[in-house]
Amino acid sequence: MRITNKVMQNNALTNINRNKELTDQLNTQLATGKKILRPSEDPVVAIRALRLASDVNDVNQYYKKNVPDAKSWLELTESAAKTSISVIKDLIEKCEKGSSDTLTTDDRKIIINAMKELKNEVYATGDADYAGRYIFTGYRTDTSLKFPEATTQDYHITQKFNYMDVEEKSFISTGALGEINEQNYENTGSALASETDVQETKYYRIQLAYDNLMDAGTGSLNVTDKAGAVTSFTTTTETDAEAAYAQAQTDDDAVIFVPSTGELVLGKNAYEQMKNVDNTATFDYHKEKWEKGDLRPQHYFACETTDPIVGVIPYNEDYPTTGTLGQEIKYQVGFNQHIQINSYPEEIFKHGIGRDVDEVVDLADKLTDIENVVAKLEAMQKDEANYDTDQLANIGKDLDAAKKAQTYLRDQLQKTFSHYITKMQGYLNSANEALTTIGNRASRLELVENRLEDQSTTFRTLQSENEDVDETEVAVQLSSTQVSYQAALSATADMIQKTLLDYL
């Protein structure tokens, strides 16, 4: 093969150019710290870099955003649950004090006033929010748990029960004792009240979530047994609670709706049907007048209301069949991994807490009224100057009836306090169970966070190994390449100075 000067020059320039390209590449790698700048330089490295960058971004989203957000939500939920548990424990303590048979009227007033405040505090905690979102209201994070102000809005509510919701209660009839004063202690010349007027009536009832309901007329209590068979009991409405209690004693098939007290009073047959194990029942009712602090029904039951613009708005339509609201708020905290962060209001903020406190308050007020009547009649009995013998005798009969009622009501209040120790303990157990669930979720989230931290480190290491250069190695190669380049320039300079004539 014939080698000419032109061939030698072209080959030399080509090799020098390749050396310059390698020098430029190494210099660029050393300056940027990256193996490639364009995918065409190394497609394998480029594809792997894109995949690793996507993995790193996903892990950062979970680790730096989703997990802290979920953790904050759980921490607030845990704090609210602990506050409620503390309040319920205080209610239990008040019930224990109230169950003492040595209480004075002033002692009882102190306990009752404290229980009212504690009841309000329980439900106030339910309106805890995170970044403007209520944490106990399921998907309706923009709607408070309670009504912030008194309002009028008709809700058609379907409430579900089971056999554990049926309880035996007693009612103390005091006749006309509450109306006695210095002028009307006699009725047509005889005592206004007698001991026979004071009676204790026992009855079975289901306490609804609300009182002061709308008159339902005729409805039905639908009881489903464990075999799935449905028995419907026709309900009648009775505005007089005492009359409803008395009717249930004589009518075994009676199921009486008392709107004012929010009760379903059961006759013997309905009670027997309900107490069978695994029985469930549903009942529909309406409530229109809402007081400040009442719990919104859409967070607890299947219900519907009518908006003047939107029309009928249904809530929780599956509740009658499932018994749960099923509004899980989940955060994605990993690849195909989610964790529920919200707790349901019925787990902690049960209607029964407020209803039980109100019932104790009403009973204590009734006892206080009778004690005032007793004190008034005792003062009248000592006033022999203004009353003759017959009048004093009638006052004495009224006083005997009032003292009997006082004894009955004291005993009932004491038993109610004792019974509500157990009921409040049930609410406490439920809240503790919810707190345990929250704690388990927080523990799981912590494990996920630790794993994400490890994954973030691993992916970043892989990303660095794939994209970054070894600066020391590149520097050595660059130095070697530069030496080669200078040597090539020197050799080529000597070579192109000679021609064929130099060899002749």
Side-chain angles (χ1 to χ4, degrees):
M1 179 178 179
R2 183 167 176 263
I3 304 298
T4 66
N5 282 1
K6 188 64 175 178
V7 171
M8 294 173 62
Q9 291 174 6
N10 288 341
N11 287 341
L13 291 174
T14 299
N15 291 329
I16 289 173
N17 190 58
R18 288 175 181 172
N19 194 293
K20 288 177 65 178
E21 288 179 354
L22 179 60
T23 302
D24 179 65
Q25 180 182 4
L26 292 173
N27 187 61
T28 301
Q29 288 180 347
L30 189 63
T32 62
K34 300 296 181 181
K35 291 180 180 178
I36 63 173
L37 290 182
R38 294 177 295 277
S40 59
E41 295 177 11
D42 193 331
V44 174
V45 171
I47 292 174
R48 189 179 296 126
L50 291 174
R51 290 175 178 173
L52 288 172
S54 177
D55 290 339
V56 169
N57 288 336
D58 288 343
V59 170
N60 284 340
Q61 174 68 36
Y62 302 140
Y63 180 62
K64 294 183 178 180
K65 296 180 180 178
N66 292 18
V67 168
D69 203 22
K71 183 184 289 187
S72 297
W73 190 299
L74 286 172
E75 286 174 352
L76 283 172
T77 306
E78 182 179 17
S79 176
K82 287 181 177 179
T83 299
S84 298
I85 287 172
S86 176
V87 174
I88 295 172
K89 286 181 178 178
D90 288 342
L91 283 170
I92 293 175
E93 181 184 350
K94 296 299 182 289
C95 288
E96 289 172 345
K97 291 182 178 179
S99 63
S100 171
D101 58 0
T102 60
L103 288 179
T104 65
T105 302
D106 290 338
D107 293 336
R108 191 167 60 247
K109 286 181 179 179
I110 293 173
I111 293 173
I112 292 300
N113 289 333
M115 292 182 72
K116 289 179 182 178
E117 295 301 321
L118 291 172
K119 180 197 77 170
N120 294 334
E121 180 59 27
V122 168
Y123 295 142
T125 306
D127 272 339
D129 69 283
Y130 171 62
R133 296 176 293 171
Y134 294 102
I135 63 177
F136 288 106
T137 56
Y139 298 153
R140 291 176 285 276
T141 56
D142 60 341
T143 306
S144 61
L145 185 68
K146 307 183 283 82
F147 285 100
E149 300 293 340
T151 186
T152 299
Q153 187 171 2
D154 182 16
Y155 279 86
H156 176 203
I157 302 168
T158 298
Q159 187 171 343
K160 192 170 185 177
F161 318 95
N162 60 39
Y163 69 98
M164 297 182 65
D165 294 313
V166 182
E167 55 185 345
E168 184 178 9
K169 300 292 291 183
S170 63
F171 176 79
I172 307 301
S173 175
T174 58
L177 285 173
E179 305 169 6
I180 290 180
N181 55 43
E182 289 84 352
Q183 287 75 38
N184 69 352
Y185 65 92
E186 288 184 311
N187 181 21
T188 64
S190 61
L192 185 64
S194 66
E195 291 187 58
T196 57
D197 295 330
V198 180
Q199 297 180 352
E200 181 179 18
T201 303
K202 294 186 178 295
Y203 64 98
Y204 300 107
R205 68 99 183 262
I206 296 174
Q207 188 181 49
L208 302 176
Y210 305 100
D211 57 7
N212 296 320
L213 307 175
M214 298 172 65
D215 188 339
T218 302
S220 63
L221 175 69
N222 301 308
V223 182
T224 305
D225 63 22
K226 55 186 177 183
V230 179
T231 302
S232 294
F233 292 91
T234 300
T235 64
T236 58
T237 298
E238 175 57 69
T239 56
D240 185 349
E242 186 173 354
Y245 306 149
Q247 181 182 342
Q249 299 300 304
T250 58
D251 186 355
D252 292 341
D253 294 324
V255 177
I256 308 164
F257 172 52
V258 186
S260 59
T261 61
E263 293 176 301
L264 284 176
V265 182
L266 307 179
K268 182 179 179 181
N269 291 341
Y271 166 70
E272 292 294 336
Q273 182 72 20
M274 274 297 301
K275 76 175 184 179
N276 291 332
V277 178
D278 294 335
N279 269 357
T280 58
T282 57
F283 182 71
D284 293 357
Y285 57 91
H286 288 257
K287 182 172 174 63
E288 184 179 45
K289 302 294 185 181
W290 302 92
E291 300 296 330
K292 179 180 179 180
D294 283 345
L295 298 174
R296 295 182 184 268
Q298 61 262 46
H299 300 315
Y300 290 86
F301 311 112
C303 61
E304 63 179 37
T305 186
T306 302
D307 182 88
I309 299 176
V310 179
V312 176
I313 304 175
Y315 298 98
N316 313 315
E317 295 177 278
D318 294 334
Y319 168 80
T321 54
T322 63
T324 59
L325 302 180
Q327 295 182 351
E328 297 179 353
I329 297 178
K330 292 185 176 182
Y331 272 36
Q332 185 172 356
V333 293
F335 300 100
N336 296 322
Q337 188 172 15
H338 300 76
I339 188 169
Q340 182 178 346
I341 60 167
N342 69 314
S343 297
Y344 302 129
E346 68 267 21
E347 294 176 326
I348 304 173
F349 310 103
K350 295 182 178 295
H351 287 82
I353 298 174
R355 296 282 274 137
D356 290 346
V357 170
D358 289 342
E359 201 162 65
V360 171
V361 170
D362 290 343
L363 187 56
D365 289 342
K366 188 175 180 180
L367 175 56
T368 300
D369 291 341
I370 291 298
E371 288 177 339
N372 292 336
V373 170
V374 169
K376 186 184 299 182
L377 290 171
E378 286 179 339
M380 291 170 61
Q381 194 177 43
K382 296 176 181 178
D383 190 4
E384 297 181 356
N386 292 317
Y387 299 102
D388 59 29
T389 303
D390 292 338
Q391 289 174 326
L392 291 173
N394 289 331
I395 292 173
K397 292 177 181 179
D398 288 335
L399 181 59
D400 291 339
K403 286 184 176 179
K404 180 180 179 181
Q406 182 184 29
T407 301
Y408 275 14
L409 288 171
R410 277 181 177 172
D411 181 65
Q412 185 186 29
L413 183 59
Q414 181 186 352
K415 290 179 179 178
T416 300
F417 271 121
S418 298
H419 175 58
Y420 283 173
I421 293 174
T422 304
K423 291 193 71 175
M424 291 294 173
Q425 188 63 51
Y427 303 140
L428 179 62
N429 292 341
S430 178
N432 278 326
E433 185 177 346
L435 180 61
T436 301
T437 301
I438 296 167
N440 291 337
R441 290 170 183 163
S443 297
R444 179 187 168 199
L445 187 62
E446 184 176 356
L447 294 174
V448 170
E449 184 179 26
N450 293 336
R451 188 179 71 251
L452 288 173
E453 184 178 11
D454 293 340
Q455 286 180 338
S456 178
T457 302
T458 300
F459 283 139
R460 288 186 181 280
T461 301
L462 291 174
Q463 192 178 37
S464 177
E465 291 175 352
N466 180 65
E467 300 177 19
D468 299 340
V469 296
D470 185 334
E471 294 182 355
T472 301
E473 182 180 350
V474 172
V476 171
Q477 290 179 354
L478 179 60
S479 178
S480 175
T481 304
Q482 287 174 338
V483 170
S484 299
Y485 176 65
Q486 293 298 330
L489 289 175
S490 177
T492 302
D494 289 341
M495 178 191 69
I496 63 176
Q497 290 178 1
K498 296 183 182 297
T499 67
L500 286 175
L501 296 177
D502 295 326
Y503 298 100
L504 294 178

